[in-house]
Amino acid sequence: MWGWWRFGKWTVLIMFLHIVAVLIFTKGFLLTRTELPHSSHCSDLSQSPCHSSSSSSSCWTKPAVDRLIIIVLDALRFDFVAPSSFFEQKQPWMDRLKVLQRMALENPSSAKIFKAIADPPTTSLQRLKGLTTGALPTFIDVGNSFGAPAIVEDNFIKQLIQNGKRVVMMGDDTWTQLFPDHFNKSYPYPSFNVKDLDTVDNGCIEHLLPSLHQQDWDVLIAHFLGVDHAGHIYGVDSIPMIEKLDQYNAVLEKVIEELQNQSGPGKLHENSLLLVMGDHGQTLNGDHGGGSPEEVETSIFAMSFKDLPYLPSEFVSSSCEPSKNMCISSIPQCHRSLVSPFHLEGAVIGRVNPELYALAVGTWNLDDNKTWNNQDETKLEEWLQNYVNVICTNSWQVKRYIDVYSASSVIGFSSEDLFHISDLYSEAEENRLNSTFYNNESSNTSLAILKRQIGAYFEFLSYVAELARSKWTEFNLKMMGTGIGIMLLSLYCHILAIRKLNKSYGVSLLLSRDSGISFGLLLASFTVLMRASSLLSNSYILKEGKVANFLLATTSIATLRFSFMKNKMLLEAATFLLLTFIFRIAIEVGLYKQASTSQFMSASSSWVLGISISESLWTFMAEIVPILALIILGCFLYKAISSYCWGIAKCVIMGTILSYLLIALHWISESNILDLAHFLKGFGKNYIPRTIYSIGLGQLSLLAFVPLFSKEETSNYKGSLFVKTISILSACSSTVIILQGKQGALVALGSLLAGYCMMRLQGIEQHTVRGAAEISILDPLPILQWSLLAVCLFFATGHWCTFDGLRYGAAFIGFDEFVLIPQAILLTIDTFGFSHILSVFGLPLFVAFSSMFNQTEHRSLFSIKLFWIFLVYGLITAITVTVTIVCVAIQRRHLMVWGLFAPKFVFDVVGLILTDVLIFMASIYYF
Amino acid sequence: MKEDLEKSTPSKISSFQVFLIHVCCGLALAVGFWVAHNVYSINLISHPTSTLRLIWAIEFPVVILLFSCFRQKPEKCSYLKAIARGLLGLPVGALLNALGALALGAPAGLQYFERTVSWSLLMSSLTFVPTACVYGSCWTDWHRIFACTKPKGSLDFMLCLPAHGAVIGAWFGAWPMPLDWERPWQDWPICVSYGAMAGYVAGMVGSLGLALMHTGGGKQLKAE
């Protein structure tokens, strides 16, 4: 054991550093929030302290409006809506939505323009989520079902449905992804084609105006995308953008005219509220996603179709322009105002905005025939009382949410913050309770009291919102920096360890490593650098598989050149190059699959070779070839035992061959080449995979525990290393292959062949440089190739670094229902099987192979080489992951940070830690 | 005197000849671009296939005619035979270049077939044809120049450096291709061709410099 510790301590140290670095960085970077499954009901109201007199029969509060029209204009900049006099300079894109400005100017009490501040990340999906749930969207909403974006939290739409409201949606199909079966009627249009400016908008316009006449809805949502797309393609200052804005102006004009026509007493839109809002802004280049002012500042225009009273000026928290007679106030966009009829349990952090609330007709108990008299203090007081009740309920709910959240979430709020929250809340409550005694005072003082109450509630709510924002949407740069620092430290340790190993290797070989820099080392470092720097750009991350393959092909061309130079092993080098070509085709097939699901990639079909083979032959081939590949693999193994193996290894390999037979049987039963399906039906299709898993588990435990009991010291160390490697690889392979499906067998065969070529080719450069005597000088090039091959295998088996790239089907091979732990294990094995598990356990083959022909080596040299190989492999992985982490930190405000960089980060980090753990286990196993 | 020189050191050529050849090859490339741009008013971005073919059609004759003058063992191998070797070397080199590009990830679809062919013909005349003209099928010379990269003398440098430059330039030229800038020149094989030609020119400059140093050093040695 001490012998292991001599070098093994390095693997432990590096693993420890990696884990610490990743944990610290993740805590600063990955914002998480736990979704709560609760949703609110009308009956909850009785627990609230606010409605002592249960006067109204309605749920929560009386519905403020009867019908609601929400028009969402994607990427609506604030300066599209606000008059150009608000800005220093008039730009061509300003003052285009003239109708909104005119309305706000003509009826300042019933129509208002608000400046709304959206919370980053300002991407449409996250914003819609934020708007409907009232929460702050984060990267990982724990509890979210994998992949599918559908909202399970309590939300506005769900509450509408529960309360019997009918919702109509038209436009962007993101809504139907979020709410798959909530809408009464929906007219979704595809949103992924950024170059298409008109399809969604025309669809909206086509359905919007006719819908206004219909009676079968209560809430209408129309989502226009043209401005967003025009911004992405042409930028803000462009003709298409201005055309789009003019088009919207015309549409809005028609809508408002239509609504005004029908707003008379008894008509359809007597008590309607029109909201025109942006979900986020955009920069002048049309980008959004980050947190710059241009991106978060958007606008809400609210209008009701009656003359309404003015609010007392204390509540108009705005920057008024006296000359223009128009007020623009800022409201945080996770507003509650929309929600005023219904209150959510889910995750609402926000407050009912007084101005917006005032715009809703129903909040004023107006008599139909009486026009509003501005001096009527009692009316105002009544309204304020209503408002206090609403905001009281609002605060009570927020308090309840915070309590439930901190009780159930893993990463909650700190106790200090919680204490402060409850302090503020109880203060506001007391304020309210006290004031109820003075109900009969003169109206002036009671107004003042009401205002004070509202102030106390505002303080509470804004404190909570601030706290939640800092918790859920702000990166902790210090922690991220510390994480990166520790990561760099671990790289330094890695290099130190490798140098130490090199030194002791040189000492035991009794040669001084004079220059130490060979062409192979240079090429390897250059390739690693190229790969690492490629990760800094989103395009290369999207095509990572191709980049890895490009580099692999480059190194294999270099190897081919070496073998030309040396005039030997040409066949192996050529085969290896051919294999990289085959992997490249497989990677492109994988990319094609990815492109069809990804929002960032356009599907290119350059790999399609125009296959014109008849259909049936093709399917027959597709079914028979993997089985043939399995049989070939089995033959290899059989040959291996007949020549090398003994004892336990023989058992293990026999078990694997049995597993292969079972896999072949499983595939045959799935396909319909032979009519075995009904024959196996009684057996149940789940038994074969389960048998294979248990055989694999048995083999692994046999390999792990038997050496502990029988300490047989074999003299032939190399032979035993080879046997050990083969047996553990075979033990793992059967499970991996069945999870990967039919491609698994082919890929296994291909990587076996590629591995064999690499083993043969390793050190080919040194032969010429140093002569045959120093055959075993360490060369990082083959290890680099091995690591690149592992990356290629990851992509070639149809994986990619996003969560929808996980192959969920693999988790259900052998199981019918979802149980978290076994399914998660299967999914991990499927995802990292070839690229991490098999490649780490296969590494010792380099040592075993190179010394097959060299009988004079000592055992200590052997273990040095083993550790050296593991450390170099780990270093290559660690360098790329470090660069990924740095890149994620740099690009944290990038448009694609949640769509692309963060998933890549998660995959890489999981892969790194898995690699470390596997290296640790493998070094113990092989030592 | 002249015969004497050729017999004793067959691979020696003067730095002025190197200069002349490189200038001619470089000019041929430039003329190719000029003709494409001004006569046919096409360029690499709008019509990659025809432009590449045009450049090749101008470059290839120049290369084959010039390099055949410096064939090894001129007493055994006539000028015409050297040209024939170059012609034979063209498809072989094109095939090797195309295979290399495919292995590195060039699009394999049928719609790119023509582009790949014209690109690999151009690459072949930049890399493969000169050596084929000069050395024919002599394996040891090929091995020395391309596998071991141990050129001897100005002639070897003249063959080796531009060829390696073209390949390495093409390799670097492939890097912008996956970027999402959506520029037309990111398409296969436009930026790769630009890279290859830039590398080729750089290689020619390098070889010229080496040739000048070589002859300069030689003169000094003689003087001593």
Side-chain angles (χ1 to χ4, degrees), chain A residues 75 271 384 466 585 713 807 829:
Chain A
N271 191 5
L384 276 180
E466 207 43 56
I585 300 282
E713 196 61 46
R807 298 173 67 251
I829 294 177

Side-chain angles (χ1 to χ4, degrees), chain B residues 94-178:
Chain B
L95 188 69
L96 285 180
N97 271 305
L99 286 182
L102 282 179
L104 285 171
L110 282 177
Q111 68 267 44
Y112 286 98
F113 182 71
E114 264 186 79
R115 295 182 183 202
T116 312
V117 167
S118 27
W119 174 81
S120 49
L121 283 177
L122 180 64
M123 280 302 280
S124 172
S125 33
L126 296 184
T127 57
F128 214 77
V129 171
T131 318
C133 288
V134 173
Y135 287 112
S137 57
C138 177
W139 175 250
T140 47
D141 289 321
W142 282 92
H143 194 252
R144 187 181 73 235
I145 293 174
F146 287 113
C148 303
T149 340
K150 281 177 185 151
K152 289 185 273 185
S154 313
L155 184 62
D156 280 6
F157 275 118
M158 197 172 78
L159 297 171
C160 169
L161 282 185
H164 278 83
V167 170
I168 292 171
W171 190 86
F172 276 105
W175 276 95
M177 280 175 70

